[in-house]
Amino acid sequence: MPESKSRYAARLPLWVAVGAALGILFGIFVGEDAAVLRPIGSVYVKLMEVAVFPYIICSLLHGLGRLSPPTAWRLFRCSWLVYLVLWGTTFAVIYLLAIAIPPVPPPSAIDATQPVKGVGLLQLLIPANPFFDLARNYVPAVVIFSLLYGVAIQRVKRKEEFLSILELIRGASVTIWHWVVLLAPFGVFALFADTAGTLKPDALVDLSLFLALIVAGTLVLALWVIPSAIAALCPMATGEVIRELQRALVISVVTSLSVAALPFIQQAAERLAERMEIEDEERGEIIQTTLAISYPLAQLGNLFILLFALFCAFYYRIPISGSDQVALPFIALLSGIGSPSSSINAVAFLSDWLAFPADATGLYVGLITVTRYGQVVASVMGFAFVTFLVTLAYYGKIRLRPKRLALSLVVSAALMAVIIPASRVIESDGIARGTGDYLTYELASDLTAGVAVVVEKPDEASAEVPAAKDPGGSILDRIQSTSELKVGYNRHVIPFSYENDQGQLVGFDIAYVYQLARDLNVKLRLIPFTWQNLAQGLEERRFDMAVSGIYVTDDRLRRYSISEPYFQSPVALIVRADRAQSFLSRSDIEALGPLTIAVFDDPIMQALAKRLFPSAKVVVFPNYHVLPDHPEVDAAIWTLEQAKAWATPRPDFTAVVPKDVGGPFLLAYLMPENSTRFRRFLDYWLMLQRTNGFHDRLVRLWIDGKPEPKQAPRWSILRNVLGWQGD
């Protein structure tokens, strides 16, 4: 039995590769049904991770605590330069890759009133409460805690018994990994089947530039830059370095866990030490300690969060300031210390620090499905680089070979010269994909299906609305008797009521009234109004309700029936992008001197402009479509959601919410005076839409700019070739 286990372990990389290949084929064959294997893959990953923290803590405490202070100081002097070279090389590769990322366009919106929030960097780094840090997966703090106590233990007497306990726990962690690794073919089969079956390639198209850069960059770093650098300092060829680490690379890739490579790297370092005739009795402890320290500090895959941050700046149209650009690599290095999973915390911190949208972390987590393999390979080579070179430096065995170093640099430069222009070829248009292009949005088919609708579109020059046939009586009674809901709309109020690039009337409010007509089981008639004839249309009951992002004002409260507000939004200014930073607060705006402020032709907006900016010249436009043709206008007033939606497809403009300018707008639906029954019904109906999730669905699309993903099952052989449709 032991012999059969030994043969199985020797052939494990082959069995793991077979499991991965079969998993990919199974995922392609069954498609999304492969998700049934996800729990198996999750259990396998969790089993691999269960010993990570015990291993890190006990290895650092044991390795450092066992050393004498002079030995520890000598090890530190041999290590710091190796780490600086490794980090510097990795950052150089990342910044070269970043050349392929287009310049960051101006932001579509800036909200100067929102404070930056999130986990502080000190909380990630300072181990005030190590148990809290363990629970929160703050690996950097756990590592610093272990380093501090490891150094302190060096000066403690009668520590042998405690160190032996640490050694037992560390050995037990390695034993657990050996057990779990034996299950690798099955775990890898489940992981690869799930990924191959459920990953939708079209969801990654917009991110293809980043994916190409990170995959190519991590592989070049791991398979050439680092091995050739090792070969320039050790008596080994580049290919020989890779062959020595072959098992470590294979097992880490197929398990997608860098921790699985540690035992194999230790064995490779031992063989290298024997080859260099290092016979010191402390050799094993030096290798183990160096490898344990390298695990959190040489996770090169985590450093690629820097590339992700640079890409996010372009993707979300959020420029990074000059001072933040300088600090970014240091922050990425410090926050990325730890295990691969700690990179998610690091991305969350960077997103808060750089004011990226909240979904940036989710975007990174989703991309890990593709990028984790390259990141793991890079981390494994980072562990080997540190372990090999620190061990040789400690014993004075490093010898620089200038010709090999020159070859390493030349080939590395050539590879980067190929990757950068090749990546630029990838299609990358569509600025601000994270916020969406509102002009392409359509009403959902499940919303419009079965609703009979008439959309009236009188000539734009006409200010008249067709006369009502039944100006009196209860609105609900009229709707029930005629089976028709009449709704007034304005088609220039993006994202509430507007025409998309196909000429369809769409928007948040339009979706709402479709749902209202469906629930009332009546026909929907949409009647256009201008802001000048809105009051006339309501007073003469030409429509039952008016929509289109209508603001609640004292005058409207007195004159009409108004629903409960369904949305609120702060006052925003549409300004030219190159001047956006000059409109961040009232004091900044006042310092600009006399301004020209634009409003659309609505008495409410004109009064608001004069109240907020009494010394400004106010100009009136029929709508904001003409704004780009008037360079004399300094700013236009709207709500944040409307201004942001308007600015998103126009990179030359930005929506700014200044500080200290005014309270938020309240948006509601207007009804004719004394429409008490209909108003009560509408308020109750709106409350139901909030509780059943319909309101949140509309907010996600029309306000947050996040279209719902297509629900069609992903292509698979079983479904699309063999015709199996399932239950």
Side-chain angles (χ1 to χ4, degrees):
M1 189 66 176
E3 184 178 350
S4 63
K5 284 186 177 180
S6 177
R7 287 199 302 269
Y8 175 77
R11 297 178 181 178
L12 186 60
L14 174 61
W15 288 115
V16 169
V18 170
L22 292 177
I24 293 173
L25 292 175
F26 183 79
I28 294 173
F29 184 80
V30 305
E32 293 181 350
D33 291 330
V36 70
L37 297 174
R38 186 171 300 165
I40 299 176
S42 299
V43 168
Y44 176 71
V45 170
K46 291 181 183 300
L47 287 174
M48 288 295 293
E49 292 180 339
V50 72
V52 169
F53 275 121
Y55 177 85
I56 292 176
I57 296 173
C58 294
S59 294
L60 291 175
L61 291 177
H62 180 272
L64 291 174
R66 184 176 177 182
L67 300 176
S68 65
T71 302
W73 176 245
R74 179 182 171 188
L75 185 61
F76 170 76
R77 288 190 290 109
C78 296
S79 302
W80 70 269
L81 183 59
V82 174
Y83 280 104
L84 287 183
V85 169
L86 183 65
W87 294 333
T89 301
T90 304
F91 283 135
V93 169
I94 290 172
Y95 274 110
L96 287 173
L97 293 172
I99 295 174
I101 300 175
V104 180
S108 58
I110 300 174
D111 190 347
T113 65
Q114 294 298 315
V116 177
K117 55 185 179 180
V119 176
L121 184 61
L122 291 180
Q123 190 174 353
L124 284 172
L125 296 176
I126 305 302
N129 185 339
F131 300 103
F132 175 85
D133 298 329
L134 284 168
R136 297 288 182 175
N137 197 29
Y138 293 167
V139 182
V142 173
V143 171
I144 292 175
F145 165 82
S146 302
L147 290 174
L148 288 174
Y149 271 79
V151 173
I153 290 173
Q154 294 172 6
R155 292 162 172 78
V156 175
K157 297 179 180 179
R158 297 188 299 276
K159 57 186 176 182
E160 288 73 17
E161 186 174 345
F162 176 68
L163 292 176
S164 65
I165 295 174
L166 295 176
E167 174 63 17
L168 286 174
I169 297 175
R170 183 175 69 172
S173 300
V174 175
T175 300
I176 291 173
W177 283 331
H178 280 303
W179 290 344
V180 178
V181 164
L182 294 177
L183 301 174
F186 307 100
V188 167
F189 172 82
L191 289 170
F192 274 60
D194 180 33
T195 300
T198 59
L199 181 65
K200 295 186 177 181
D202 57 342
L204 301 177
V205 169
D206 287 343
L207 305 165
S208 55
L209 174 61
F210 172 73
L211 291 174
L213 289 175
I214 191 171
V215 171
T218 51
L219 292 181
V220 167
L221 181 68
L223 301 182
W224 173 256
V225 176
I226 294 179
S228 63
I230 293 175
L233 299 169
C234 300
M236 304 171 70
T238 302
E240 188 179 359
V241 173
I242 295 177
R243 285 193 297 274
E244 275 290 325
L245 298 169
Q246 181 178 356
R247 296 189 69 186
L249 293 171
V250 170
I251 199 68
S252 62
V253 167
V254 296
T255 60
S256 72
L257 294 168
S258 59
V259 70
L262 296 182
F264 301 103
I265 295 175
Q266 181 173 336
Q267 294 168 9
E270 294 281 1
R271 291 193 294 269
L272 176 61
E274 291 178 2
R275 179 174 177 175
M276 299 298 294
E277 299 180 349
I278 300 173
E279 302 296 341
D280 184 65
E281 62 180 11
E282 288 187 335
R283 183 188 74 184
E285 194 61 42
I286 295 298
I287 291 175
Q288 289 181 2
T289 302
T290 302
L291 181 59
I293 296 174
S294 73
Y295 179 75
L297 299 183
Q299 288 278 356
L300 301 188
N302 287 11
L303 298 187
F304 279 81
I305 60 175
L306 171 61
L307 183 66
F308 179 74
L310 296 174
F311 178 78
C312 279
F314 160 74
Y315 187 77
Y316 291 113
R317 290 176 56 173
I318 299 178
I320 302 176
S321 67
S323 59
D324 288 347
Q325 286 274 15
V326 173
L328 185 56
F330 301 101
I331 301 298
L333 174 62
L334 292 174
S335 59
I337 291 173
S339 65
S341 59
S342 66
S343 67
I344 298 174
N345 287 334
V347 168
F349 170 76
L350 289 177
S351 298
D352 282 343
W353 177 53
L354 296 173
F356 292 152
D359 61 355
T361 304
L363 181 66
Y364 178 79
V365 172
L367 291 174
I368 286 178
T369 305
V370 177
T371 65
R372 61 185 177 186
Y373 301 102
Q375 290 176 280
V376 163
V377 170
S379 294
V380 169
M381 292 305 299
F383 306 157
F385 182 89
V386 170
T387 306
F388 287 4
L389 296 187
V390 170
T391 301
L392 296 185
Y394 186 87
Y395 291 102
K397 297 290 186 177
I398 285 184
R399 298 291 183 270
L400 177 63
R401 293 163 175 79
K403 291 184 179 180
R404 289 188 178 181
L405 181 60
L407 177 64
S408 173
L409 294 174
V410 170
V411 176
S412 299
L415 290 172
M416 299 305 296
V418 172
I419 292 174
I420 295 170
S423 299
R424 283 178 172 171
V425 174
I426 297 175
E427 182 62 37
S428 302
D429 0 305
I431 298 170
R433 301 170 184 81
T435 56
D437 184 352
Y438 290 86
L439 298 181
T440 65
Y441 293 171
E442 301 178 5
L443 296 174
S445 58
D446 65 328
L447 185 65
T448 59
V451 178
V453 61
V454 175
V455 181
E456 298 183 4
K457 294 184 178 181
D459 183 74
E460 181 69 23
S462 175
E464 296 297 326
V465 181
K469 296 179 180 179
D470 47 354
S474 165
I475 290 180
L476 276 178
D477 290 342
R478 191 206 61 76
I479 293 174
Q480 292 172 352
S481 63
T482 62
S483 295
E484 182 181 64
L485 172 67
K486 297 188 297 182
V487 177
Y489 76 93
N490 185 293
R491 61 193 180 109
H492 299 298
V493 189
I494 190 171
F496 295 96
S497 163
Y498 68 101
E499 291 183 349
N500 62 16
D501 54 9
Q502 299 180 37
Q504 301 168 337
L505 183 64
V506 297
F508 183 95
D509 288 343
I510 302 303
Y512 245 126
V513 296
Y514 264 90
Q515 184 66 25
L516 179 59
R518 174 184 298 281
D519 289 344
L520 289 171
N521 194 27
V522 297
K523 181 173 69 175
L524 176 63
R525 180 175 295 274
L526 294 165
I527 303 170
F529 66 78
T530 63
W531 297 109
Q532 292 75 26
N533 64 28
L534 171 61
Q536 178 186 359
L538 287 168
E539 290 166 1
E540 297 181 1
R541 297 186 175 231
R542 293 173 177 173
F543 27 77
D544 305 316
M545 58 186 293
V547 303
S548 296
I550 299 175
Y551 315 136
V552 176
T553 65
D554 291 340
D555 179 65
R556 286 171 175 168
L557 285 170
R558 288 191 298 268
R559 297 177 61 184
Y560 312 114
S561 292
I562 298 183
S563 72
E564 289 290 326
Y566 62 88
F567 199 77
Q568 70 174 28
S569 180
V571 177
L573 300 176
I574 300 174
V575 300
R576 300 202 176 261
D578 56 357
R579 300 187 64 196
Q581 296 299 319
S582 300
F583 289 83
L584 298 183
S585 68
R586 177 177 288 278
S587 58
D588 291 339
I589 296 172
E590 292 174 349
L592 295 174
L595 299 175
T596 299
I597 302 294
V599 296
F600 54 81
D601 196 1
D602 175 10
I604 302 298
M605 295 298 291
Q606 296 177 42
L608 177 67
K610 293 177 181 178
R611 178 172 63 83
L612 294 179
F613 306 103
S615 61
K617 175 184 177 182
V618 178
V619 295
V620 180
F621 292 152
N623 56 69
Y624 286 154
H625 291 322
V626 299
L627 194 58
D629 300 326
H630 291 269
E632 75 279 6
V633 172
D634 296 295
I637 301 177
W638 223 351
T639 69
L640 172 60
E641 279 67 33
Q642 292 166 312
K644 179 181 177 181
W646 186 93
T648 293
R650 298 174 175 87
D652 294 336
F653 288 86
T654 297
V656 179
V657 179
K659 296 179 181 178
D660 307 322
V661 167
F665 289 102
L666 296 178
L667 276 58
Y669 298 136
L670 267 60
M671 290 153 280
E673 187 178 11
N674 297 324
S675 303
T676 305
R677 284 183 60 206
F678 187 45
R679 177 182 61 78
R680 289 175 178 172
F681 166 79
L682 190 59
D683 287 345
Y684 179 74
W685 181 82
L686 288 172
M687 181 186 68
L688 288 178
Q689 305 318 303
R690 288 184 177 276
T691 57
N692 66 19
F694 181 75
H695 177 83
D696 293 339
R697 173 186 171 188
L698 296 192
V699 168
R700 179 173 175 80
L701 173 60
W702 302 105
I703 305 302
D704 297 337
K706 299 175 182 176
E708 295 181 5
K710 297 179 180 178
Q711 298 300 318
R714 213 207 68 174
W715 184 93
S716 69
I717 294 176
L718 188 63
R719 184 182 301 274
N720 298 88
V721 177
L722 301 181
W724 184 81
Q725 298 299 321
D727 295 332

